[in-house]
Amino acid sequence: MKPSENAAKVTEAAPSLQRQTWQVGLLVVAITVLSNLPYKYANSANSGYAAIESVVDFPIQMPPVPRMAGWPFRYLIQYPSDDAYANRSPVSRFAVVPLAMNLGLALLVAITLAVYSRRRSNRGQTGVRTLSIGDLLVLTTFLAIGFAWWQHLGSLAKRDADLQQRIRSAGGGVAVSAWVPQFLAERIPSSLRDRLVRIHSVRIEHPKIDLLQSIFELNELQVVRVGGNEFDESQLHSLGSNPHIFDLRVAGRPLDAGTIEMIQSLPNLRTLNLMRTSVDAQDIQGLTGIERLNLIHSDVRPSEIERPEWSRSLVELRIGHPGPGGEPESLLLSDWPRLKTLAVEEFDTLANSDAMTVRLQRMPMLEEVRLDTFQKFALELGDLPKLTKLSDSQIQWEARVPRGGKSPGQIWCSTIEIRNAPEFEELYFFMPDMERLILRETPKFKGAFVGAYYKTYRNQPYETNIKPAAIQAVLEGLGASDGPELIDLDAVPLANADLSPLAKNARIRDLRLSQTGTTLKQWKSLEDLTELVRLDLHESQSDEKALGWILDTFPKLQHLSISPKNDDNFFMRSNETTLEIVDHASIRELDLKPFSTEIFGDVRIFNSPSLSIALSLGYVRKLEIIGANSIAGLSLQSPFPENATIERLDSANFFAVGGPGVTDKTTEAIEGCKTMDTLTLAYPNLSTEAIERLPIGPTTSSLSLPGTLVTDEIALKWPKLPFVKHLDFRDTAITEKTINHLCSGGIPYRMVLDRTKVDVSDISKSMDFSQLKALSLANVNIGGETMKRILKDASLEYLNLSGNTLDDDLLSALIASAGRLEILVMRDCTVDEKKFTELANQTRIVFDIDGTDFPTALMTRLLSSQRIVEVEQWQMQKAITQQQQSGQSMQWFRFGAAPTDALIDIDRFADLYNQVSAPEPL
């Protein structure tokens, strides 16, 4: 090529080279600017924050994530104010050197790329563009830098992972997360996120010096909770250079001036725990911006705190109280604009009966005051527009109660005065030392729960020796207060107390006087509480006039609980054992626990449509229920009175009656019921039409119709009973068709088919017998193969084969498959002696053999081994065992008549029926 042509090409290439150089420069500038702009960062891959909490600390708050700038060297950290931390002053840390390093690095990269681009262009002018050694060196350099950066991130992640293991091995807790620009939080690859995970929160008790040093070298640490006195205090000073510290606990040691100065210098500190340290009120005077502060068991006396600088920012304060024998203390706070929670509590101080005055005035944000039950208080609270409650604190109460000692069960006060607290709702307090009680301007005050009990290791004994002045102070205070709607005085000894002050409080709607020892004479002083809707008088001194007077005096009463302290003297209204509720439209619930309604011989409920009492009656002479269609249920142990009148029990959950007095008119009352769970009609005088109309539905769990005219034709019209647990069709004409239809969900756990036409062998072989525990087949033939199938599939405990011939096949089936069988009832049976002896020898079954003949020697052996019992005896022992295991009180029990089954003693009705009609076995 001619020289002139080369010169022309160089001239043409000059603008192109200049343009490429500018492009490279602009690209580097753009990357530098973008990588060094400030970005809002976000937490990603959070974990472990639950391990940071402990009983001595505040609940963890997620620290804010800063706005940061600078890559690869960070030069700006900012914590601006935001909605979550509105009180925070902006925190900003700017460093010139990292910014200069970033700019220098960018300039070096720009120069390198420009020189490289120029050399490449010069080579291109010769027409030869080959890959040179210089190209490889540049490419290798950039790849090496990228790989080194990736490895550096990996080494930092491994360093933090190793440190996490060391902290956890020392019994501490660690929380980690990755800080990434917010706009990349959902886009960043997991492999990169894992390498950015760093330790941000640490809790460590009694750490070793080298471990603590490693922790304090972490440059993104936000939460540090350290306890103990085993390390060098100078190590704490290094935290002063960390702008991220948000939550700091230094507890269990004296603190020097350098540490206190370091704490005061932390610009982002919001939570500070100085529990069990040597700091005093002067040391913390210079704190600013603190939102949560714990000073329990420090040298800061409550009386020294009034309105320090940090009172303008504080949201939660925890402070201690003196122990027994200490100097009297007081806490007088006013005009703290942001305080929401105040706790006066300790961890190991014993009970102190010297009252500590707590006076809180004009706290616009205060919502909760938490008080230690081991300290008696005199409370004076006023102008607290957001206060909702006073809470009790019982931290480590077991360790603070001496052996054989006790502590108050609720807030312990001598004075409670609350004024102008429009959101205040509930008050729980321990009253034996009360001198003054008053709540005014508390329109939402709903409940006052007055306690007189202590906490001990074993139980909660009640204080019975309370000064009359304390009782009267409480009653007068509640009577003169603005509210509450509910007053709970349960177990407070009020015998002979004047209850009349309570009648002055027109807002009372719910009054609880259970176990107070009060009498009708005292209750009469409450007659002005005409708006009362609930009254609890359990175990009080009731007399024959109590129920009638209460219902007549409080016309709006909806719930009444009343029972005698001694049931031997419990008679209601004018007649012995008479229950009469007439024209009480409001009454909804009448609770007579712990006694049942069986005590009533005469029952008259008239025009009380809301009453939902469950009437489980014993032997009733007269029964009248009219205009009470919310009755929850009715059962009678005695024959249904022929002169009884009942109408519309539309809401009944159970109905269990028996005897010839039960007629079609009786069952008309329940025909509209949609909620029947348990239905028992024992040997009634019912037509087939009435039986067909019975309220039997898919939710019925217990159905007993012994001695009725029920047939397969009627039963097949009823719905299937998928949840049935108990069936009793003794002395009826049903067959296996009824069982196959009703028990589509499986055989119930208790089934009585005595003297029916059921062919047990034809009960569907696909039927599930696994729930069956009690089966009665008196005078119903059953073969050995059928018995084997039932015993194999069921969990039988009770089997009644009375009136049958127990042949070899049947006894062999019992020997082979007795399983869980506990008792075999075989009254009036014909038995093969040899086979029965084999059954007795090979099983642990007990027998009821009344009316069955056995040789004297065999009877003697069975009696001596306690294998001969009456079924009633076995049933009673079974009931006692079951109820002891369930923790329930003992109740009357017979097979087929447990509370969850037929509800009445069907056997007694059967005996009465047999005496009257002496029917032949079907």
Side-chain angles (χ1 to χ4, degrees):
M1 185 177 292
K2 296 181 181 180
S4 59
E5 292 176 354
N6 286 337
K9 289 183 178 182
V10 169
T11 302
E12 293 172 359
S16 176
L17 175 62
Q18 188 177 17
R19 187 166 53 255
Q20 289 179 8
T21 302
W22 276 105
Q23 288 174 348
V24 169
L26 288 174
L27 177 62
V28 172
V29 169
I31 293 174
T32 300
V33 171
L34 290 176
S35 61
N36 283 276
L37 286 175
Y39 293 104
K40 173 65 177 176
Y41 278 64
N43 273 316
S44 183
N46 295 334
S47 67
Y49 278 96
I52 304 301
E53 296 192 354
S54 72
V55 67
V56 301
D57 289 306
F58 291 104
I60 194 72
Q61 282 184 343
M62 288 297 293
V65 181
R67 180 186 298 273
M68 296 184 288
W71 188 86
F73 303 106
R74 191 165 290 156
Y75 70 87
L76 179 64
I77 298 173
Q78 291 180 327
Y79 282 93
S81 296
D82 54 32
D83 293 340
Y85 302 96
N87 188 57
R88 176 179 293 114
S89 300
V91 175
S92 181
R93 288 286 179 90
F94 177 82
V96 175
V97 174
L99 177 61
M101 293 173 66
N102 291 340
L103 295 176
L105 181 61
L107 181 61
L108 178 61
V109 170
I111 292 174
T112 301
L113 291 176
V115 171
Y116 173 71
S117 178
R118 186 178 184 84
R119 289 175 59 84
R120 288 283 294 168
S121 297
N122 288 340
R123 286 206 309 273
Q125 293 172 13
T126 64
V128 181
R129 291 181 178 271
T130 60
L131 188 65
S132 66
I133 294 176
D135 294 335
L136 292 175
L137 286 174
V138 171
L139 179 61
T140 301
T141 299
F142 280 103
L143 288 175
I145 291 173
F147 182 74
W149 176 74
W150 184 256
Q151 288 297 104
H152 175 65
L153 291 180
S155 66
L156 292 178
K158 185 178 185 306
R159 177 204 67 182
D160 277 30
D162 292 342
L163 185 54
Q164 289 180 52
Q165 186 59 41
R166 291 173 62 194
I167 294 171
R168 292 190 178 108
S169 298
V174 182
V176 299
S177 63
W179 284 353
V180 297
Q182 195 170 48
F183 69 92
L184 293 176
E186 302 298 329
R187 301 177 180 86
I188 191 169
S190 58
S191 55
L192 177 56
R193 183 190 300 112
D194 293 342
R195 289 175 176 256
L196 293 175
V197 170
R198 299 289 181 269
I199 295 176
H200 289 137
S201 302
V202 173
R203 178 189 57 78
I204 187 75
E205 316 299 338
H206 309 288
K208 294 182 179 180
I209 293 177
D210 59 335
L211 176 58
L212 198 62
Q213 188 61 40
S214 299
I215 293 172
F216 287 169
E217 288 174 356
L218 300 172
N219 56 12
E220 292 184 359
L221 206 56
Q222 290 187 296
V223 177
V224 181
R225 295 179 170 182
V226 182
N229 193 26
E230 293 79 6
F231 57 90
D232 187 349
E233 189 176 355
S234 62
Q235 292 180 277
L236 295 170
H237 300 174
S238 62
L239 294 175
S241 61
N242 186 340
H244 300 292
I245 297 296
F246 175 86
D247 182 324
L248 176 64
R249 186 244 287 171
V250 181
R253 64 172 302 137
L255 300 182
D256 60 20
T259 301
I260 294 172
E261 184 178 348
M262 178 274 296
I263 293 173
Q264 293 178 344
S265 70
L266 294 173
N268 200 41
L269 185 63
R270 290 299 176 266
T271 298
L272 178 60
N273 186 341
L274 298 175
M275 180 178 173
R276 298 188 186 280
T277 62
S278 61
V279 297
D280 56 26
Q282 188 62 37
D283 293 331
I284 61 174
Q285 189 68 31
L287 292 174
T288 57
I290 295 294
E291 294 179 353
R292 299 191 297 175
L293 181 61
N294 186 344
L295 299 173
I296 294 176
H297 222 73
S298 67
D299 288 345
V300 179
R301 295 183 58 184
S303 57
E304 297 174 336
I305 300 176
E306 290 188 5
R307 204 180 304 167
E309 178 66 24
W310 40 269
S311 68
R312 295 186 296 177
S313 62
L314 202 68
V315 174
E316 183 171 358
L317 174 63
R318 299 177 69 180
I319 193 165
H321 61 76
E327 296 184 27
E329 275 291 355
S330 61
L331 182 63
L332 313 177
L333 308 181
S334 62
D335 300 300
W336 288 35
R338 301 192 69 240
L339 189 67
K340 290 185 177 180
T341 303
L342 171 66
V344 183
E345 57 194 359
E346 281 286 354
F347 284 77
D348 53 16
T349 302
L350 300 180
N352 182 18
S353 60
D354 294 329
M356 174 180 174
T357 299
V358 175
R359 183 181 301 138
L360 307 176
Q361 304 288 335
R362 297 181 299 281
M363 302 283 202
M365 304 297 289
L366 188 64
E367 297 176 357
E368 180 185 4
V369 176
R370 192 166 65 249
L371 302 172
D372 195 346
T373 59
F374 282 72
Q375 171 66 53
K376 182 160 68 174
F377 292 95
L379 302 179
E380 301 175 21
L381 314 180
D383 299 320
L384 307 176
K386 291 192 176 183
L387 181 68
T388 59
K389 62 180 179 179
L390 304 179
S391 303
D392 63 72
S393 174
Q394 301 182 5
I395 302 173
Q396 299 184 166
W397 74 267
E398 299 96 334
R400 299 165 67 184
V401 175
R403 182 174 296 277
K406 56 188 178 182
S407 69
Q410 295 174 303
I411 296 172
W412 186 11
C413 294
S414 61
T415 300
I416 299 178
E417 183 177 332
I418 302 177
R419 298 180 184 274
N420 191 19
E423 298 297 322
F424 191 78
E425 295 181 352
E426 293 183 340
L427 176 63
Y428 293 77
F429 64 95
F430 182 72
M431 58 79 62
D433 294 321
M434 186 62 65
E435 299 173 2
R436 175 173 168 75
L437 171 67
I438 191 69
L439 290 92
R440 291 289 177 83
E441 300 173 88
T442 50
K444 293 187 178 181
F445 186 23
K446 294 180 180 178
F449 300 85
V450 185
Y453 67 90
Y454 295 91
K455 296 191 71 170
T456 69
Y457 285 106
R458 295 186 177 181
N459 52 27
Q460 292 184 342
Y462 287 86
E463 178 62 73
T464 57
N465 187 22
I466 300 177
K467 296 178 181 178
I471 293 175
Q472 216 55 39
V474 170
L475 296 176
E476 291 177 1
L478 292 174
S481 294
D482 292 339
E485 298 177 4
L486 183 159
I487 295 179
D488 187 343
L489 291 160
D490 286 351
V492 176
L494 299 177
N496 302 317
D498 180 10
L499 303 182
S500 61
L502 296 178
K504 299 176 182 178
N505 192 333
R507 283 181 54 188
I508 297 176
R509 300 292 184 273
D510 186 342
L511 183 57
R512 303 183 184 181
L513 299 172
S514 174
Q515 302 177 31
T516 57
T518 53
T519 65
L520 178 59
K521 181 179 179 181
Q522 292 171 280
W523 304 337
K524 286 187 174 181
S525 65
L526 302 173
E527 59 186 356
D528 288 340
L529 295 177
T530 54
E531 300 297 316
L532 204 63
V533 297
R534 182 178 186 125
L535 182 60
D536 186 349
L537 301 170
H538 270 323
E539 296 189 38
S540 297
Q541 299 294 335
S542 305
D543 61 26
E544 69 279 2
K545 300 179 181 179
L547 181 60
W549 180 86
I550 292 170
L551 294 177
D552 292 339
T553 303
F554 304 111
K556 296 185 179 180
L557 200 64
Q558 298 178 8
H559 304 271
L560 172 62
S561 299
I562 185 169
S563 64
K565 189 171 184 181
N566 182 348
D567 61 322
D568 292 336
N569 298 320
F570 185 44
F571 303 105
M572 289 189 166
R573 201 119 204 207
S574 58
N575 295 323
E576 192 173 292
T577 66
T578 294
L579 174 64
E580 184 173 283
I581 304 175
V582 178
D583 294 330
H584 290 287
S586 297
I587 190 71
R588 294 182 180 179
E589 180 183 355
L590 178 60
D591 181 6
L592 300 171
K593 291 185 295 187
F595 307 101
S596 74
T597 50
E598 287 186 9
I599 61 175
F600 299 113
D602 295 345
V603 176
R604 183 170 184 249
I605 302 177
F606 181 78
N607 195 22
S608 300
S610 299
L611 181 63
S612 63
I613 187 173
L615 293 171
S616 298
L617 303 173
Y619 292 86
V620 176
R621 298 182 297 271
K622 295 180 181 179
L623 176 64
E624 184 178 9
I625 303 176
I626 300 174
N629 56 315
S630 295
I631 295 293
L634 173 66
S635 68
L636 274 73
Q637 299 303 327
S638 63
F640 194 78
E642 293 185 2
N643 60 351
T645 302
I646 58 173
E647 294 181 1
R648 291 196 58 188
L649 304 184
D650 296 341
S651 301
N653 183 256
F654 65 89
F655 189 76
V657 296
V662 178
T663 64
D664 292 8
K665 187 174 182 180
T666 306
T667 57
E668 284 179 6
I670 60 171
E671 289 179 0
C673 180
K674 305 296 184 182
T675 58
M676 190 64 69
D677 176 80
T678 299
L679 177 61
T680 301
L681 300 170
Y683 301 93
N685 184 18
L686 288 178
S687 67
T688 54
E689 292 79 10
I691 295 173
E692 191 172 329
R693 295 194 300 269
L694 291 176
I696 299 170
T699 60
T700 301
S701 68
S702 176
L703 178 61
S704 302
L705 300 174
T708 64
L709 298 178
V710 62
T711 63
D712 289 343
E713 183 181 359
I714 293 174
L716 292 176
K717 295 178 181 179
W718 295 335
K720 297 179 184 298
L721 305 180
F723 304 107
V724 68
K725 297 179 180 179
H726 170 82
L727 284 178
D728 189 337
F729 284 107
R730 72 182 83 176
D731 296 312
T732 66
I734 68 154
T735 71
E736 63 280 359
K737 293 180 180 179
T738 293
I739 304 303
N740 289 333
H741 169 69
L742 295 179
C743 302
S744 59
I747 296 296
Y749 78 87
R750 193 180 298 264
M751 187 161 65
V752 184
L753 300 175
D754 301 346
R755 297 174 294 280
T756 64
K757 296 180 179 181
V758 172
D759 185 346
V760 183
S761 63
D762 283 344
I763 293 179
S764 175
K765 289 183 173 57
S766 63
M767 196 76 74
D768 180 11
F769 281 82
S770 61
Q771 301 299 317
L772 183 62
K773 290 187 177 182
L775 177 62
S776 187
L777 298 172
N779 296 102
V780 176
N781 292 326
I782 181 170
E785 290 301 317
T786 302
M787 180 56 67
K788 281 183 181 179
R789 176 165 67 93
I790 293 176
L791 289 172
K792 178 182 177 182
D793 296 338
S795 302
L796 273 183
E797 298 175 356
Y798 172 101
L799 178 61
N800 182 2
L801 298 176
S802 298
N804 290 310
T805 298
L806 307 187
D807 58 21
D808 286 359
D809 289 342
L810 189 55
L811 290 173
S812 296
L814 290 171
I815 293 170
S817 307
R820 297 183 181 179
L821 191 61
E822 297 180 15
I823 184 169
L824 175 61
V825 182
M826 40 188 295
R827 297 177 176 181
D828 301 313
C829 288
T830 302
V831 183
D832 181 276
E833 178 187 334
K834 182 179 178 181
K835 209 65 178 178
F836 177 78
T837 303
E838 186 179 345
L839 173 65
N841 289 337
Q842 296 188 24
T843 67
R844 297 301 302 166
I845 299 173
V846 297
F847 305 95
D848 183 340
I849 58 174
D850 185 28
T852 302
D853 294 329
F854 286 100
T856 303
L858 179 58
M859 285 287 292
T860 301
R861 184 161 62 86
L862 292 175
L863 285 169
S864 64
S865 60
Q866 297 182 341
R867 300 282 297 282
I868 302 296
V869 300
E870 291 187 355
V871 67
E872 292 82 5
Q873 176 187 352
W874 176 84
Q875 290 162 353
M876 182 61 71
Q877 186 58 48
K878 187 83 171 173
I880 292 173
T881 301
Q882 290 175 348
Q883 298 207 11
Q884 286 176 343
Q885 291 174 349
S886 65
Q888 299 176 358
S889 60
M890 185 59 205
Q891 298 179 36
W892 167 85
F893 178 96
R894 293 264 325 237
F895 174 74
T900 53
D901 299 323
L903 299 180
I904 60 175
D905 187 355
I906 292 179
D907 287 341
R908 293 188 179 182
F909 287 97
D911 293 342
L912 177 64
Y913 172 76
N914 291 330
Q915 290 171 11
V916 174
S917 58
E920 292 295 327
L922 297 174

